[in-house]
Amino acid sequence: MIINSVARGSQRIASFYVMSRCLTLLILLLLSHSSSLQGVALWRRGNRVSSINACQQKEAPDGGLMVRCSGLRLTQIPAGLSNHTTRLFLNKNRLSSLPPFCFSDLFLLDELDLSHNQLSSLEPGCFSGLASSLRFLDLSSNRLTTLDPAVLGGLQVQANLSQNPWHCDCSMQVSIPQLDMDNSSLEKVICQTSDLPNLGATGLPLVLLVQDWDLCQSVRRTTDFLTLITMFLWFIMLLSYLIHYIRHNKVVARRHMEYLKFLESRDPFRPQ
């Protein structure tokens, strides 16, 4: 009897031990699975599939939707953006390019902030669908060097293009008039390089450079009004000097001829 009781007690202890081990293993499996899911989520941070969930969304004063995806280390434009979005902040991320039609569904978008990214290229059509709604575009503090006119797509916006290493060439000259630029940014659009490097163009604001030079033909534009006045005055002075010189010479020449005639009349050897 005692032996049987001890045996049954040992079996119960062994069963409890096995069950506790199984439960422990199950808990560990669940925890590891949860960790792996979190790892995948962290690994996908910045991915088009899941990054929209990290953006802050709230109603804008104009009744639309304001979406703020600032500082999330995004490398692509988030997918799933609501077509009711009127203000979109993608600043302080890691965007390096804008593919075509990436904002084409946001036909109510009024303000787009892409500042403080790593943008080095803008593909033609990247702003497609925004021509009728977009009013403010911030591309400051990126790595843009040139702006192809095909990228603008007829946009008439207040644009901030400051703090970019711009290469001032013909395409920049054609593009800038198509943007109703923010006045505070005009003086900050500095030519880091130019097609006119030996003529002091580097380091100048683009707005000043295109006033004096035609970058599409690499020639200086028509001389300004002040220069024309200066040239006109110099021409008048030169002409006055020539007229005075000619008149003075005429007087001298006439006096010289009269003196010669006088000498000739006094010549004793002159035949009568």
Side-chain angles (χ1 to χ4, degrees), residues 27-38:
I27 293 173
L28 290 175
L29 287 174
L30 291 174
L31 290 175
S32 62
H33 181 67
S34 176
S35 300
S36 64
L37 289 178
Q38 291 178 358

Side-chain angles (χ1 to χ4, degrees), residues 51-111:
S51 61
I52 185 59
N53 297 325
C55 299
Q56 299 178 6
Q57 305 182 45
K58 66 178 182 178
E59 185 176 354
D62 56 6
L65 188 64
M66 181 174 66
V67 180
R68 187 175 295 276
C69 304
S70 307
L72 298 180
R73 300 183 180 182
L74 304 179
T75 58
Q76 298 182 33
I77 304 300
L81 290 168
S82 171
N83 54 15
H84 295 290
T85 302
T86 57
R87 302 177 67 187
L88 177 58
F89 296 89
L90 293 168
N91 54 310
K92 298 181 181 179
N93 283 294
R94 297 181 178 180
L95 302 175
S96 59
S97 65
L98 294 180
F101 310 108
C102 56
F103 302 109
S104 59
D105 295 333
L106 307 181
F107 49 84
L108 296 178
L109 191 62
D110 178 77
E111 180 179 353

Side-chain angles (χ1 to χ4, degrees), residues 143-158:
R143 301 177 182 178
L144 298 171
T145 58
T146 187
L147 196 58
D148 192 333
V151 172
L152 301 176
L155 294 177
Q156 296 295 326
V157 298
Q158 294 285 331

Side-chain angles (χ1 to χ4, degrees), residues 214-228:
D214 185 344
L215 299 178
C216 294
Q217 298 182 7
S218 297
V219 295
R220 187 177 290 276
R221 297 184 185 276
T222 305
T223 312
D224 60 19
F225 183 69
L226 182 61
T227 306
L228 285 175

